[in-house]
């Protein structure tokens, strides 16, 4: 089970979670390519070691275990995965589509 970053991170991008991650699986962190234009941060499910460090560090409670993601945010499991499998643009498009569906 990996951890997932969900809706509360949109527009926040606080990198406290990335700062405490022992395996550097949260991107794009401050100073990385795409950080400035990213809508949110993402956790690489293939790299996450389920250590829970990011949960305590997140000031907006956006980070949670996969099994704890509320139904209304289930899509964020896929969004985080797609960001790393298909690239920045694909992940950001999914976030944009999610936001458009809420409008």
């Amino acid at each position: 089970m990996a951890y997932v970053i969900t809706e509360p991170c949109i527009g926040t991008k606080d990198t406290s979670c990335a700062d405490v991650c022992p395996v550097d699986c949260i991107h794009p962190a401050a100073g990385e390519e795409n950080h400035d234009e990213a809508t949110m941060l993402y956790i690489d499910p293939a790299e996450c070691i389920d250590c829970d460090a990011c949960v305590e560090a997140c000031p907006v409670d956006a980070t949670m275990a996969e099994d704890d993601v509320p139904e209304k945010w289930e899509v964020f499991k896929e969004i985080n995965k797609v960001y790393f499998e298909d690239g920045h643009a694909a992940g950001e498009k999914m976030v944009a589509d999610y936001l458009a569906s809420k409008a």
Side-chain angles (χ1 to χ4, degrees):
M1 170 182 66
Y3 282 75
V4 176
I5 297 178
T6 61
E7 182 180 325
C9 187
I10 295 173
T12 302
K13 292 191 313 189
D14 183 288
T15 59
S16 298
C17 58
D19 295 343
V20 300
C21 180
V23 294
D24 193 31
C25 71
I26 301 172
H27 302 281
E32 290 182 352
E33 182 180 6
N34 300 316
H35 176 76
D36 291 342
E37 64 268 13
T39 308
M40 59 178 279
L41 301 179
Y42 305 86
I43 293 178
D44 185 343
E47 297 293 323
C48 179
I49 60 169
D50 309 325
C51 71
D52 194 51
C54 56
V55 175
E56 292 300 316
C58 182
V60 293
D61 296 325
T63 308
M64 58 197 70
E66 257 182 339
D67 292 346
D68 295 336
V69 174
E71 187 176 327
K72 66 182 178 180
W73 294 336
E74 280 286 316
V75 69
F76 284 90
K77 293 179 187 180
E78 187 67 17
I79 289 171
N80 281 259
K81 181 177 150 197
V82 164
Y83 184 86
F84 291 97
E85 289 182 356
D86 299 337
H88 174 79
E92 287 290 311
K93 181 180 181 327
M94 287 188 74
V95 173
D97 291 347
Y98 169 80
L99 291 172
S101 75
K102 292 185 61 162

